[in-house]
Amino acid sequence: MRHGATPAEIQRVVEAIAEMGYEARPLVGRQRTAIGVVGNDGRVDGSRLAGLEGVQELIHVTKPYKQVSREWRPDSTVVRLSGGIAVGGEDVVVMAGPCSVESERQILEAAVAVRDAGAVILRAGAFKPRSSPYSFQGLGKSGLALLSLARRETGLLIVTEAMDAEGVDAVAGVADIIQIGARNMQNYSLLRSAGRSGRPVLIKRGFAATIQELLLAAEYVLAEGNNDVILCERGIRSFDSAMRNLFDLSALPLVHSLSHLPILADPSHGTGRRDMVIPMARAAVAAGADGLLVEVHPRPERALSDGAQSLDPEQFRQLMRESRLIADAIGRRLAEPIGVRT
Ligand code: PEP
Ligand code: MN
């Protein structure tokens, strides 16, 4: 309550709390009175209290999210995929491939290259949410068919983006993991639809989203009864235009402390520059990332999207070698390709 709030004002707040079905605990101090709200099962909608005379500030102690929180579920979630791949356990799972599916030759070359370097999941967009309507928009359904072909040819699992609620079923028909892109992180009908798809969901942090908003996006999927959610830090906007984005490394341990969900790092979108990808991948593994999402193109200079941040196959092999050493150093290991698992 405000300094100088009258006893009548305090009484009115106490009554309002009781009418809302909670218990009020006034704490009378020398300068002011604070009123605690107890008996709530989750976050209280305080808008009614905020408007009462004498109220200075509402301070929430309870987090707005529930099922994604570590308080709710202390043990880390492990998302189990086919072939024994598990995200969120001891393994660091590497998902790599081009930004977009461009052609049969391109996606098969990319898939073979990332598989031979040790990646276990192929990433590539068939539906691309581009900032400009004049940029390459992806091959759409034929891109999904090419991903399906790459899966059959290489044994790699597939992560690919669904751009709208209507497109979720088509993507779910091919993808082992449905990706929700940064631009769509707060598209709640898409999140709900992905939550009902029966597939694991990868949610990328929006470029102006707080960690709380990222966790609330995941809460939408869990609220549909789907617990298989993987988060991804992919860089946020900052005041400095030196890099495409500011890669928020601290999001990795922060998410692990607040939530039981696994979190990946995407050092490609996180930096926007090929020469920065390997250093940030190393840092992300050291910071506890449960996996990496990396853009790799057989000929980055010819890529139809995100060529400047795409590694060539040789650079990706280096990333894998160095990430493996760092994973070992912190008592983890890189997930093994399907077929060579022991
Ligand atoms: C992508 O993964 O290619 C992509 C579009 O990422 P983001 O949504 O993070 O921009
Ligand atoms: Mn991209």
Side-chain angles (χ1 to χ4, degrees):
M1 301 298 291
R2 258 190 264 287
H3 178 68
T6 66
E9 286 167 350
I10 292 170
Q11 187 53 31
R12 222 164 295 134
V13 172
V14 167
E15 284 163 12
I17 291 169
E19 283 162 23
M20 288 162 72
Y22 310 123
E23 209 180 303
R25 298 266 173 86
L27 209 82
V28 184
R30 216 158 354 134
Q31 296 289 331
R32 69 180 83 240
T33 295
I35 305 173
V37 177
V38 294
N40 53 309
D41 183 17
R43 194 173 162 101
V44 169
D45 176 3
S47 47
R48 175 171 171 195
L49 303 174
L52 293 177
E53 287 296 322
V55 171
Q56 174 166 299
E57 192 186 358
L58 291 169
I59 302 170
H60 289 276
V61 179
T62 310
K63 302 266 194 312
Y65 45 82
K66 182 171 187 168
Q67 296 192 58
V68 301
S69 73
R70 229 184 235 286
E71 277 173 329
W72 181 258
R73 197 177 304 155
D75 292 339
S76 295
T77 287
V78 179
V79 176
R80 296 189 186 282
L81 306 166
S82 60
I85 306 288
V87 184
E90 187 189 321
D91 288 5
V92 175
V93 179
V94 180
M95 314 183 184
C99 181
S100 310
V101 183
E102 299 171 2
S103 67
E104 178 173 328
R105 176 175 168 219
Q106 174 253 15
I107 195 63
L108 290 179
E109 279 184 21
V112 168
V114 301
R115 182 198 59 189
D116 290 352
V120 289
I121 301 182
L122 176 66
R123 63 134 295 141
F127 298 96
K128 295 304 299 180
R130 303 305 301 283
S131 298
S132 163
Y134 308 118
S135 300
F136 176 59
Q137 304 285 306
L139 298 181
K141 289 223 162 125
S142 60
L144 290 182
L146 292 176
L147 284 172
S148 186
L149 173 70
R151 191 182 194 279
R152 277 199 307 280
E153 294 281 320
T154 61
L156 290 167
L157 304 187
I158 302 291
V159 56
T160 193
E161 178 160 354
M163 256 175 43
D164 41 49
E166 302 72 43
V168 164
D169 286 347
V171 170
V174 170
D176 296 280
I177 305 172
I178 298 175
Q179 177 172 322
I180 306 294
R183 290 161 189 76
N184 260 324
M185 190 205 82
Q186 288 176 307
N187 180 338
Y188 300 116
S189 51
L190 173 60
L191 291 167
R192 284 194 195 282
S193 170
R196 289 190 295 265
S197 68
R199 291 275 181 217
V201 182
L202 169 63
I203 305 178
K204 300 190 78 177
R205 180 180 182 183
F207 31 66
T210 63
I211 294 296
Q212 178 162 300
E213 286 163 340
L214 172 64
L215 294 176
L216 282 167
E219 188 82 18
Y220 269 86
V221 177
L222 269 71
E224 293 297 326
N226 184 348
N227 294 327
D228 288 336
V229 174
I230 303 165
L231 303 171
C232 181
E233 166 58 40
R234 48 78 74 211
I236 50 175
R237 279 276 158 82
S238 90
F239 57 84
D240 190 343
S241 59
M243 305 289 289
R244 180 179 182 184
N245 287 301
L246 179 70
F247 186 52
D248 183 5
L249 261 183
S250 60
L252 302 166
L254 178 59
V255 164
H256 279 146
S257 74
L258 297 173
S259 174
H260 51 83
L261 295 174
I263 180 161
L264 310 180
D266 172 352
S268 308
H269 295 86
T271 61
R273 278 176 51 171
R274 184 177 306 133
D275 58 334
M276 302 283 151
V277 172
I278 293 177
M280 285 298 106
R282 292 193 301 243
V285 174
D290 295 299
L292 299 172
L293 191 68
V294 186
E295 287 188 337
V296 180
H297 194 289
R299 286 166 296 278
E301 68 289 352
R302 299 224 211 127
L304 296 183
S305 58
D306 286 350
Q309 67 194 30
S310 298
L311 300 183
D312 66 27
E314 175 52 36
Q315 291 164 329
F316 181 61
R317 285 192 284 275
Q318 182 190 341
L319 178 147
M320 292 297 283
R321 273 196 308 276
E322 296 179 1
S323 299
R324 189 170 286 117
L325 290 173
I326 293 169
D328 284 345
I330 58 166
R332 297 182 83 171
R333 52 172 203 174
L334 291 198
E336 295 287 345
I338 299 165
V340 299
R341 325 201 89 226
T342 46

